[in-house]
Amino acid sequence: MVACKKSKIAALVSGSPEKMKRVAQQYGVKPESCYSYETYDKLKENPDVQVIYIVLPNSMHAEYTIRGAQAGKHILCEKPMANSSAECQAMIEACKKADRKLMIAYRIHYEPFNRYVREKVQANEFGKPKFVDAFNCQSSANPKHWRHIKALAGGGALPDIGLYCLNTTRFLLGEEPTEVMAYVYSDPENPLFKEVEEVCSWQMKFPSGTIANCATHYNVHDSRKYRVMTEKGWYELDNAYAYTGQKLMTSRADGEIVRQENVSITPKNQFGAEMDYFSDCLIQDRAPYSTGEEGLQDQRLMEAIYQSAREKRPIKLPLIEKKDAFRGPKPPDLQA
């Protein structure tokens, strides 16, 4: 929160009183502004709190978003939005009923390297995009972590880290897929994957004809990268989905010459940027860019990906011709 200019911690909610006391002392939160999950609804009586940031396990997002909206607070909810489309829809309806704003924490939307690539791709700088290759992989070694418990996480690699490939590809292209084809696998001898998938690989076909090849793995060395290939060049972003360390390279054809370039951009604290952006939405009474409908669309697509893997066939999706169909108004510095 030190990186925020328009946001600050005003209250805490935790199931661990000892941990909460330490954090409260660290950030100067008053004891009377510290809540348990049982007293969560009393946030309604705290005028210092305007926004609740939901960072709970995925299965708890719906309940605490709905209760938070009913307490009169705006909601910033981590992704994935929930564990089902029905839960996502209930969250959207609860916030609308309470006249509260709902934003899903897609920090990539506010990260300068990813925004730069989107701007150039949307402008067809190197010609029309034709193919996207994206993967997000990491290793975990704790089978008792909530991310490896299906009831809490909703799935394995796909909703946790694969979602970055899914959402960022949609963000870069501004399109919605019309078909998905997927494959899922788990090592039967690895206790990490008794309930959730180890790897998920899928392809998406977009109305423009662009094809995206995406993959995510829960049991390999960390690697987070994508390449957008166009008619006359490409953009490759290493550490694309990481908190820091993005490295952008471009290549383009210039007659018989191939020009490659390393692109440097001043980095931003991604969490601070998205929190301040949402705060500004409240100050300006403006709808957020990363809407609940955006989170709902990702959930629908993940459900289609899982269906494709189960049924071993492509899944057709409704044609959506509108660009950025599920996003709100573009921020002033994201007009492409």
Side-chain angles (χ1 to χ4, degrees):
M1 295 299 289
V2 176
C4 294
K5 298 178 180 178
K6 300 180 181 180
S7 317
K8 65 178 182 180
I9 296 177
L12 296 168
V13 180
S14 176
S16 171
E18 297 79 11
K19 181 172 67 176
M20 183 161 55
K21 183 178 180 180
R22 292 196 304 270
V23 176
Q25 291 174 344
Q26 180 181 356
Y27 289 99
V29 177
K30 298 176 290 188
E32 57 268 30
S33 292
C34 294
Y35 303 85
S36 66
Y37 296 125
E38 291 72 27
T39 61
Y40 175 79
D41 304 289
K42 292 186 177 180
L43 279 163
K44 183 176 183 178
E45 303 165 7
N46 191 335
D48 293 336
V49 177
Q50 295 173 282
V51 179
I52 299 174
Y53 186 13
I54 307 293
V55 293
L56 295 162
N58 305 338
S59 65
M60 301 172 72
H61 288 183
E63 176 186 350
Y64 285 88
T65 291
I66 293 168
R67 287 170 62 184
Q70 291 171 344
K73 309 303 178 182
H74 303 283
I75 303 295
L76 175 63
C77 180
E78 265 301 336
K79 60 202 172 302
M81 185 174 175
N83 277 0
S84 71
S85 296
E87 288 181 341
C88 294
Q89 190 63 54
M91 294 160 71
I92 293 169
E93 292 173 359
C95 289
K96 286 182 177 178
K97 183 177 180 180
D99 194 24
R100 298 292 87 183
K101 298 188 193 307
L102 170 62
M103 175 171 150
I104 308 305
Y106 289 110
R107 57 183 172 79
I108 297 300
H109 293 181
Y110 311 98
E111 193 284 314
F113 283 90
N114 286 281
R115 284 158 54 177
Y116 176 89
V117 175
R118 173 190 156 92
E119 176 185 347
K120 298 303 183 180
V121 169
Q122 295 282 305
N124 292 332
E125 180 189 36
F126 299 157
K128 294 180 180 180
K130 292 293 185 178
F131 186 68
V132 179
D133 194 25
F135 55 87
N136 193 13
C137 306
Q138 68 184 44
S139 181
S140 175
N142 181 5
K144 295 183 179 180
H145 193 284
W146 67 263
R147 285 184 170 87
H148 291 273
I149 301 172
K150 188 172 183 178
L152 294 176
L158 176 59
D160 184 21
I161 57 176
L163 177 58
Y164 284 94
C165 302
L166 173 61
N167 184 265
T168 303
T169 299
R170 294 176 50 239
F171 169 70
L172 297 174
L173 299 176
E175 293 188 89
E176 299 301 325
T178 57
E179 182 177 300
V180 297
M181 179 65 190
Y183 175 83
V184 166
Y185 176 76
S186 296
D187 181 350
E189 298 181 0
N190 192 326
L192 287 169
F193 308 111
K194 288 183 177 179
E195 297 188 26
V196 301
E197 78 275 359
E198 179 181 7
V199 57
C200 181
S201 175
W202 73 99
Q203 287 191 324
M204 297 184 286
K205 181 180 179 181
F206 291 86
S208 64
T210 304
I211 300 294
N213 184 46
C214 303
T216 183
H217 208 296
Y218 245 177
N219 194 31
V220 295
H221 183 63
D222 292 10
S223 188
R224 305 171 176 92
K225 179 184 290 189
Y226 65 71
R227 178 181 282 193
V228 181
M229 286 159 270
T230 71
E231 293 170 309
K232 298 179 181 179
W234 49 255
Y235 308 85
E236 182 176 281
L237 186 57
D238 197 9
N239 290 319
Y241 317 112
Y243 299 150
T244 59
Q246 284 72 31
K247 296 179 181 179
L248 176 60
M249 175 180 287
T250 67
S251 178
R252 72 185 188 277
D254 183 5
E256 296 182 354
I257 301 172
V258 175
R259 300 187 183 277
Q260 291 193 345
E261 180 181 19
N262 293 316
V263 180
S264 296
I265 304 174
T266 302
K268 290 185 178 180
N269 182 294
Q270 297 174 32
F271 293 96
E274 70 177 359
M275 289 180 189
D276 277 347
Y277 167 74
F278 191 38
S279 294
D280 197 55
C281 287
L282 304 184
I283 294 168
Q284 303 295 331
D285 192 22
R286 183 176 63 228
Y289 183 65
S290 310
T291 63
E293 287 76 10
E294 174 83 347
L296 171 58
Q297 174 65 357
D298 273 336
Q299 184 62 41
R300 290 187 183 122
L301 293 174
M302 287 191 291
E303 290 170 359
I305 289 168
Y306 280 134
Q307 180 186 356
S308 174
R310 285 194 310 271
E311 299 178 4
K312 297 180 174 58
R313 66 179 181 90
I315 301 298
K316 299 287 187 180
L317 301 167
L319 173 63
I320 299 171
E321 295 181 333
K322 181 182 177 182
K323 298 281 282 186
D324 295 312
F326 300 101
R327 301 183 185 98
K330 294 182 178 66
D333 59 347
L334 189 59
Q335 290 300 330

